[in-house]
Amino acid sequence: MNIKFYNSLSNSLQDFNTLEDNKVSMYVCGPTVYNYPHIGNMRPVVVFDTLKRFLTYIGYKVTYVSNYTDVDDKIIKAAKQEGKSEKELTDFYIREFEKTVKGIGSQVPDVTPRVTQYIDKIIAYIDNLVKIGAAYVRDGDVYFRVENIKDYGALSGINIEDLKVGARVEENSQKESPLDFALWKKTEDGIKWTSPWGEGRPGWHTECCVMIDTIFPNHYIDIHGGGYDLKFPHHENEIAQTEATHHHKIAKFWMHNAFINFGNEKMSKSLGNIVLAKDMISQYGGAVTRLVILNAHYRQAVNFTEDTIKEAQQVVSRMQMAYKQAALKLQSNNIDLDQGKPLYIDNFLAALADDLNTANALAELYNVLKEVNQIIRNREIDYQKLNDLFKTLTDMFFVLGLDITYVKFDNDISLLYKEYLESKENKDFAKSDELRQKLIEKGVM
């Protein structure tokens, strides 16, 4: 299968070839855990979980790593406000984050490292940068020399000269250049560690470099992902450090997802329109929330509006009904649901192979749903084809991470369902309505 992904580093679609045959190494920047995740935090969770599911389905062995930043100024502030230690706070919000990940239908990544588990390695990494002249020490702080990196800005398209005079660059008299960024920060407040430069804690941009270095022995991976907002400065600064250390750009492919908007405007604390993911999932369900995200290509903005949510609710309801009805028909005829062979799956997979086009993949799923409904309505049912289409839906739901379920028959349900069909056939509508209600109460219909 020819797979193409959009590489943010080259700003082009490229054929996807892996470093090792049939293996994919993937790292996605995870959350800073000081509060409940908002719905915008779920975009990379859904995008890269779907990417892993797709690659796994077509035969790759994927190692998916996503970290937790559990040391940060925001964590220190939140711990003080909540009267907890920083570890108590981060442990709690990591648990809550993982509940939300599962609630939206995603799998927890294969490896979920925490920054605090890598402090010794971070210190050694920074120390090496100092020794090779890529970084320098100023009064207990350590800074990276950006001007040593000739193509700094290659990922984000940032112009160095513009940065020097731009308002976004923080003035700091300790720096050799306003472009330089902190690798180690001297601190007296909150959690800190002893280093060759004094007590302090690491800078954000170094943490991911070290975790990738440690977890992936080649220090070079197939895919590095995250939100579009991480391109600069975070990912740009990761690349700078890796170029100084290993003379490459960490990953063959850089993939970035766009934002989630709420009510057609970007979520923002200043606008007061932050929506917690757990509240969305609680109100509308994980499948509905996930479907709104999947309806847009990952490089396009997602709009959560009353209309997009209502449409997703209707679609999920149709998916659920068709899937349950197909399972009922097959089980009532003693057909093994696991024995079908997926039909029309190639077009679905081709859509995902085309830069993870989930919108087009969903269109293929809807075509299958339509055919399932047509077969179910027929008086004479082609059970072999229905079984194959049921398997198709099962596989499509898995790859897209949509939690659509069916009820497995026991003897009582089987007899009840057959009695329901007979009463309908005999036009005993009062009895069929009564039996249908019983089936609904059992979650079958």
XYZ file of all heavy atoms in Angstrom, residues 272-342:
553
model
N -12.804 32.961 27.819
C -13.663 32.238 28.760
C -14.466 31.125 28.121
O -15.531 30.758 28.623
N -13.977 30.575 27.001
C -14.732 29.522 26.318
C -14.024 28.168 26.338
O -14.201 27.347 25.448
C -15.046 29.932 24.877
C -13.794 30.082 24.014
O -12.683 30.078 24.527
N -13.978 30.223 22.715
N -13.194 27.965 27.348
C -12.544 26.663 27.518
C -13.589 25.632 27.944
O -14.354 25.868 28.882
C -11.418 26.750 28.574
C -10.278 27.630 28.084
C -10.904 25.362 28.926
C -9.521 27.088 26.908
N -13.621 24.508 27.246
C -14.568 23.439 27.549
C -13.778 22.191 27.928
O -12.929 21.731 27.154
C -15.475 23.142 26.338
C -16.439 22.008 26.653
C -16.236 24.395 25.923
N -14.027 21.660 29.095
C -13.302 20.476 29.552
C -13.742 19.251 28.755
O -14.934 19.043 28.504
C -13.526 20.247 31.040
C -12.985 21.327 31.986
C -13.250 20.937 33.441
C -11.496 21.566 31.772
N -12.770 18.433 28.396
C -13.070 17.239 27.603
C -13.978 16.289 28.362
O -14.886 15.681 27.780
C -11.768 16.540 27.208
N -13.767 16.156 29.654
C -14.579 15.210 30.431
C -16.045 15.626 30.440
O -16.938 14.773 30.475
C -14.036 15.072 31.857
C -14.166 16.273 32.751
C -13.523 16.030 34.112
C -13.714 17.216 35.061
N -15.099 17.332 35.536
N -16.300 16.931 30.392
C -17.678 17.411 30.368
C -18.337 17.122 29.024
O -19.510 16.746 28.958
C -17.722 18.915 30.663
C -17.264 19.244 32.074
O -17.282 18.329 32.926
O -16.879 20.396 32.331
N -17.571 17.304 27.930
C -18.095 16.978 26.603
C -18.429 15.489 26.510
O -19.487 15.103 26.003
C -17.070 17.339 25.532
C -16.887 18.818 25.286
S -18.289 19.575 24.432
C -18.261 18.701 22.878
N -17.520 14.662 26.997
C -17.711 13.210 26.920
C -18.889 12.785 27.789
O -19.706 11.942 27.405
C -16.415 12.481 27.327
C -15.328 12.750 26.285
C -16.651 10.977 27.488
C -13.935 12.347 26.718
N -18.994 13.388 28.975
C -20.098 13.065 29.882
C -21.444 13.447 29.275
O -22.423 12.714 29.389
C -19.901 13.789 31.215
O -21.006 13.589 32.072
N -21.493 14.586 28.596
C -22.751 15.084 28.051
C -23.155 14.394 26.756
O -24.321 14.059 26.555
C -22.673 16.594 27.823
C -23.976 17.209 27.336
C -23.916 18.732 27.305
O -22.906 19.342 27.679
N -25.004 19.344 26.883
N -22.175 14.175 25.862
C -22.504 13.687 24.525
C -22.003 12.272 24.230
O -22.425 11.665 23.241
C -21.929 14.634 23.471
C -22.441 16.045 23.597
C -21.602 17.073 24.015
C -23.775 16.347 23.325
C -22.071 18.374 24.144
C -24.248 17.647 23.457
C -23.394 18.652 23.868
O -23.860 19.931 23.998
N -21.094 11.768 25.051
C -20.516 10.450 24.816
C -19.201 10.544 24.060
O -18.973 11.485 23.293
N -18.350 9.559 24.284
C -17.032 9.561 23.658
C -17.100 9.421 22.154
O -16.333 10.062 21.420
N -18.017 8.581 21.654
C -18.089 8.349 20.208
C -18.528 9.607 19.468
O -17.989 9.936 18.406
C -19.047 7.200 19.911
N -19.499 10.345 20.021
C -19.964 11.581 19.390
C -18.849 12.620 19.387
O -18.578 13.272 18.374
C -21.220 12.117 20.108
C -21.553 13.536 19.628
C -22.403 11.189 19.888
N -18.191 12.785 20.537
C -17.112 13.762 20.651
C -15.980 13.433 19.679
O -15.451 14.306 18.991
C -16.570 13.791 22.098
O -17.659 13.999 23.000
C -15.552 14.898 22.279
N -15.640 12.149 19.602
C -14.565 11.723 18.696
C -14.972 11.925 17.237
O -14.150 12.346 16.416
C -14.228 10.254 18.956
C -12.989 9.758 18.198
C -12.718 8.298 18.507
N -11.503 7.827 17.863
C -10.315 7.688 18.452
N -10.188 7.990 19.733
N -9.272 7.232 17.790
N -16.230 11.640 16.915
C -16.672 11.750 15.525
C -16.590 13.190 15.029
O -16.224 13.426 13.873
C -18.099 11.220 15.378
C -18.635 11.167 13.948
C -17.782 10.256 13.067
C -20.087 10.714 13.921
N -16.916 14.158 15.885
C -16.790 15.557 15.471
C -15.345 15.853 15.070
O -15.083 16.526 14.077
C -17.239 16.520 16.594
C -16.999 17.972 16.184
C -18.717 16.319 16.916
N -14.395 15.312 15.829
C -12.974 15.529 15.530
C -12.576 14.819 14.237
O -11.871 15.383 13.392
C -12.104 15.056 16.711
C -12.388 15.920 17.953
C -10.622 15.095 16.360
C -11.711 15.439 19.225
N -13.048 13.591 14.061
C -12.677 12.815 12.876
C -13.296 13.357 11.594
O -12.813 13.084 10.500
C -13.098 11.351 13.055
C -12.360 10.537 14.107
C -13.019 9.176 14.272
C -10.887 10.367 13.753
N -14.378 14.123 11.711
C -15.069 14.642 10.525
C -14.219 15.627 9.734
O -14.505 15.889 8.566
C -16.385 15.316 10.928
C -17.538 14.340 10.926
O -17.586 13.411 10.126
N -18.482 14.527 11.837
N -13.196 16.189 10.372
C -12.303 17.128 9.678
C -10.934 16.484 9.490
O -10.485 15.694 10.323
C -12.160 18.421 10.483
N -10.274 16.819 8.383
C -8.899 16.384 8.176
C -8.041 16.948 9.307
O -8.259 18.072 9.768
C -8.386 16.875 6.823
C -7.069 16.301 6.439
N -5.870 16.805 6.903
C -6.752 15.253 5.635
C -4.875 16.096 6.403
N -5.380 15.151 5.625
N -7.054 16.180 9.751
C -6.299 16.572 10.941
C -5.554 17.899 10.783
O -5.227 18.560 11.769
C -5.329 15.461 11.363
C -4.080 15.332 10.515
C -2.910 16.007 10.848
C -4.054 14.518 9.381
C -1.753 15.889 10.083
C -2.917 14.388 8.611
C -1.774 15.071 8.962
O -0.637 14.951 8.194
N -5.297 18.314 9.529
C -4.602 19.594 9.335
C -5.573 20.762 9.158
O -5.145 21.873 8.884
C -3.654 19.492 8.124
C -2.454 18.599 8.386
C -1.387 18.696 7.298
N -1.768 18.010 6.073
C -1.965 18.604 4.913
N -1.851 19.928 4.819
N -2.287 17.910 3.839
N -6.871 20.488 9.315
C -7.881 21.541 9.271
C -8.496 21.722 10.652
O -8.564 20.785 11.445
C -8.984 21.186 8.265
C -8.488 21.055 6.832
C -9.576 20.561 5.892
O -10.537 19.926 6.310
N -9.423 20.859 4.616
N -8.965 22.926 10.935
C -9.589 23.202 12.228
C -10.881 22.403 12.378
O -11.593 22.147 11.408
C -9.879 24.694 12.369
N -11.172 22.000 13.605
C -12.437 21.357 13.952
C -13.315 22.381 14.649
O -12.848 23.094 15.548
C -12.209 20.153 14.891
C -13.529 19.671 15.479
C -11.523 19.019 14.161
N -14.570 22.461 14.243
C -15.516 23.360 14.901
C -16.538 22.554 15.694
O -17.294 21.775 15.119
C -16.246 24.232 13.869
C -15.358 25.310 13.288
O -14.574 25.924 13.999
N -15.468 25.533 11.986
N -16.535 22.744 17.007
C -17.586 22.188 17.844
C -18.694 23.235 17.928
O -18.539 24.283 18.567
C -17.057 21.872 19.250
C -16.494 20.487 19.389
C -15.167 20.235 19.098
C -17.288 19.429 19.808
C -14.627 18.963 19.224
C -16.763 18.149 19.929
C -15.432 17.924 19.641
N -19.802 22.975 17.260
C -20.968 23.857 17.312
C -22.186 22.992 17.632
O -22.114 21.752 17.610
C -21.195 24.560 15.967
O -21.534 23.577 14.979
C -19.944 25.329 15.516
N -23.307 23.625 17.899
C -24.538 22.863 18.147
C -24.863 21.978 16.944
O -25.302 20.834 17.093
C -25.702 23.818 18.426
C -25.622 24.499 19.783
C -26.852 25.351 20.072
O -27.850 25.225 19.324
O -26.813 26.118 21.035
N -24.633 22.498 15.743
C -24.959 21.749 14.531
C -24.038 20.546 14.339
O -24.509 19.446 13.999
C -24.875 22.657 13.302
C -26.026 23.658 13.238
O -27.038 23.428 13.928
O -25.894 24.655 12.514
N -22.709 20.749 14.526
C -21.790 19.623 14.310
C -21.987 18.543 15.364
O -21.859 17.349 15.065
C -20.319 20.088 14.312
O -20.003 20.711 15.561
C -20.049 21.062 13.174
N -22.321 18.945 16.584
C -22.569 17.956 17.645
C -23.865 17.196 17.368
O -23.914 15.959 17.478
C -22.620 18.642 19.021
C -21.233 19.192 19.393
C -23.098 17.663 20.093
C -21.242 20.116 20.588
N -24.918 17.922 16.971
C -26.197 17.273 16.684
C -26.068 16.299 15.523
O -26.592 15.175 15.566
C -27.255 18.334 16.363
C -28.650 17.756 16.130
C -29.660 18.867 15.883
C -31.059 18.291 15.646
N -32.051 19.363 15.394
N -25.347 16.705 14.485
C -25.141 15.820 13.332
C -24.386 14.559 13.744
O -24.728 13.450 13.332
C -24.362 16.556 12.243
C -24.117 15.724 11.002
C -23.274 16.434 9.959
O -22.984 17.637 10.134
O -22.891 15.784 8.970
N -23.351 14.725 14.584
C -22.579 13.564 15.044
C -23.439 12.637 15.898
O -23.317 11.412 15.807
C -21.355 14.026 15.829
N -24.308 13.207 16.711
C -25.212 12.371 17.520
C -26.102 11.519 16.632
O -26.305 10.328 16.897
C -26.088 13.267 18.414
C -25.361 13.887 19.585
C -26.253 14.828 20.375
O -26.872 15.738 19.815
N -26.334 14.625 21.677
N -26.627 12.116 15.574
C -27.503 11.384 14.658
C -26.743 10.283 13.938
O -27.253 9.160 13.775
C -28.124 12.362 13.657
C -29.106 13.338 14.285
C -29.519 14.454 13.336
O -28.890 14.676 12.297
N -30.577 15.173 13.692
N -25.518 10.577 13.519
C -24.717 9.584 12.801
C -24.356 8.412 13.713
O -24.457 7.245 13.316
C -23.445 10.234 12.213
C -22.504 9.171 11.670
C -23.811 11.229 11.119
N -23.935 8.715 14.936
C -23.583 7.647 15.875
C -24.805 6.780 16.169
O -24.699 5.547 16.255
C -22.992 8.240 17.179
C -22.932 7.179 18.272
C -21.602 8.804 16.919
N -25.967 7.401 16.286
C -27.196 6.642 16.519
C -27.484 5.701 15.355
O -27.855 4.534 15.562
C -28.365 7.610 16.721
O -29.567 6.894 16.933
N -27.274 6.181 14.127
C -27.500 5.328 12.950
C -26.480 4.190 12.903
O -26.816 3.052 12.549
C -27.427 6.156 11.667
C -28.590 7.115 11.488
C -28.720 7.567 10.042
N -27.558 8.314 9.580
C -27.437 9.638 9.668
N -28.395 10.354 10.239
N -26.359 10.247 9.208
N -25.212 4.512 13.227
C -24.179 3.467 13.284
C -24.568 2.381 14.289
O -24.501 1.181 14.005
C -22.837 4.069 13.705
C -22.154 4.939 12.676
S -20.627 5.613 13.416
C -19.995 6.583 12.055
N -24.964 2.833 15.488
C -25.294 1.899 16.559
C -26.471 1.006 16.172
O -26.448 -0.206 16.382
C -25.616 2.680 17.832
C -25.782 1.812 19.066
C -24.483 1.195 19.524
O -23.630 1.853 20.081
N -24.328 -0.097 19.285
N -27.513 1.618 15.581
C -28.699 0.859 15.216
C -28.385 -0.176 14.138
O -28.783 -1.346 14.243
C -29.783 1.816 14.719
C -31.089 1.125 14.337
S -31.848 0.246 15.732
C -32.381 1.637 16.732
N -27.674 0.227 13.091
C -27.353 -0.704 12.008
C -26.485 -1.853 12.514
O -26.687 -3.020 12.137
C -26.650 0.040 10.879
N -25.514 -1.534 13.362
C -24.590 -2.547 13.869
C -25.333 -3.558 14.742
O -25.145 -4.775 14.620
C -23.500 -1.846 14.668
C -22.239 -2.641 14.910
C -21.594 -3.308 13.881
C -21.676 -2.690 16.181
C -20.419 -4.021 14.106
C -20.499 -3.389 16.416
C -19.873 -4.057 15.373
O -18.714 -4.752 15.599
N -26.218 -3.050 15.613
C -26.988 -3.943 16.477
C -27.940 -4.808 15.652
O -28.081 -6.012 15.901
C -27.782 -3.132 17.499
C -26.986 -2.670 18.699
C -27.906 -2.028 19.722
C -27.151 -1.639 20.989
N -28.053 -1.050 21.997
N -28.608 -4.193 14.671
C -29.563 -4.938 13.862
C -28.867 -6.035 13.057
O -29.383 -7.153 12.933
C -30.295 -3.982 12.916
C -31.277 -3.056 13.616
C -32.463 -3.818 14.198
O -33.078 -4.637 13.529
N -32.765 -3.556 15.453
N -27.689 -5.716 12.524
C -26.931 -6.734 11.788
C -26.544 -7.885 12.709
O -26.658 -9.064 12.340
C -25.692 -6.107 11.152
N -26.090 -7.555 13.908
C -25.712 -8.595 14.871
C -26.912 -9.447 15.252
O -26.805 -10.680 15.379
C -25.101 -7.945 16.120
N -28.078 -8.815 15.425
C -29.296 -9.551 15.756
C -29.656 -10.549 14.666
O -29.948 -11.723 14.938
C -30.455 -8.572 15.945
C -30.542 -7.821 17.270
C -31.576 -6.706 17.173
C -30.889 -8.768 18.402
N -29.649 -10.076 13.424
C -30.000 -10.942 12.304
C -29.064 -12.140 12.212
O -29.485 -13.291 12.010
C -29.939 -10.151 10.992
C -30.952 -9.029 10.879
C -32.346 -9.548 10.636
C -33.306 -8.402 10.362
N -34.708 -8.883 10.248
N -27.762 -11.875 12.358
C -26.771 -12.936 12.212
C -26.854 -13.933 13.371
O -26.856 -15.156 13.148
C -25.369 -12.332 12.138
C -25.084 -11.488 10.882
C -23.818 -10.663 11.064
C -24.973 -12.379 9.643
N -26.942 -13.419 14.591
C -26.973 -14.313 15.753
C -28.256 -15.144 15.796
O -28.238 -16.296 16.233
C -26.821 -13.506 17.042
C -25.416 -12.923 17.221
C -25.281 -12.130 18.500
O -24.792 -12.622 19.508
N -25.723 -10.881 18.470
N -29.359 -14.554 15.343
C -30.631 -15.298 15.351
C -30.610 -16.445 14.349
O -31.435 -17.354 14.414
C -31.804 -14.367 15.060
O -31.721 -13.839 13.755
N -29.634 -16.403 13.419
C -29.467 -17.496 12.453
C -28.203 -18.303 12.740
O -27.675 -18.979 11.847
C -29.441 -16.939 11.033
C -30.820 -16.563 10.534
O -31.516 -17.383 9.951
N -31.228 -15.333 10.800
N -27.727 -18.203 13.994
C -26.592 -19.012 14.461
C -25.333 -18.834 13.619
O -24.597 -19.783 13.345
C -26.978 -20.503 14.502
C -28.144 -20.752 15.417
O -28.185 -20.242 16.534
N -29.110 -21.525 14.938
N -25.085 -17.584 13.194
C -23.895 -17.275 12.393
C -22.833 -16.653 13.292
O -23.122 -15.719 14.052
C -24.247 -16.326 11.232
C -25.203 -17.035 10.269
C -22.996 -15.862 10.503
C -25.749 -16.144 9.180
N -21.624 -17.162 13.205
C -20.513 -16.662 14.021
C -20.098 -15.283 13.528
O -19.680 -15.112 12.379
C -19.334 -17.638 13.917
C -18.209 -17.307 14.899
O -18.158 -16.152 15.376
O -17.377 -18.190 15.158
N -20.190 -14.289 14.390
C -19.905 -12.909 13.998
C -18.436 -12.675 13.672
O -18.092 -11.692 13.027
C -20.335 -11.947 15.116
C -21.819 -11.961 15.477
C -22.088 -10.990 16.627
C -22.683 -11.603 14.285
N -17.567 -13.558 14.125
C -16.128 -13.373 13.909
C -15.624 -14.013 12.619
O -14.432 -13.941 12.315
C -15.339 -13.960 15.089
C -15.640 -13.230 16.389
O -15.849 -12.005 16.336
O -15.677 -13.891 17.444
N -16.520 -14.619 11.853
C -16.082 -15.381 10.680
C -16.198 -14.624 9.360
O -15.834 -15.140 8.314
C -16.874 -16.692 10.590
C -16.594 -17.647 11.737
C -15.124 -17.964 11.874
O -14.473 -18.363 10.905
N -14.577 -17.781 13.069
N -16.719 -13.393 9.413
C -16.859 -12.631 8.180
C -15.517 -12.132 7.654
O -14.529 -12.051 8.381
N -15.505 -11.820 6.354
C -14.322 -11.246 5.716
C -14.664 -9.840 5.246
O -15.654 -9.662 4.528
C -13.873 -12.111 4.534
C -13.454 -13.516 4.944
C -13.051 -14.339 3.725
C -12.651 -15.755 4.145
N -12.260 -16.581 2.978
N -13.880 -8.842 5.638
C -14.258 -7.452 5.341
C -14.361 -7.167 3.846
O -13.482 -7.535 3.070
C -13.145 -6.626 5.999
C -11.998 -7.571 6.175
C -12.597 -8.914 6.370
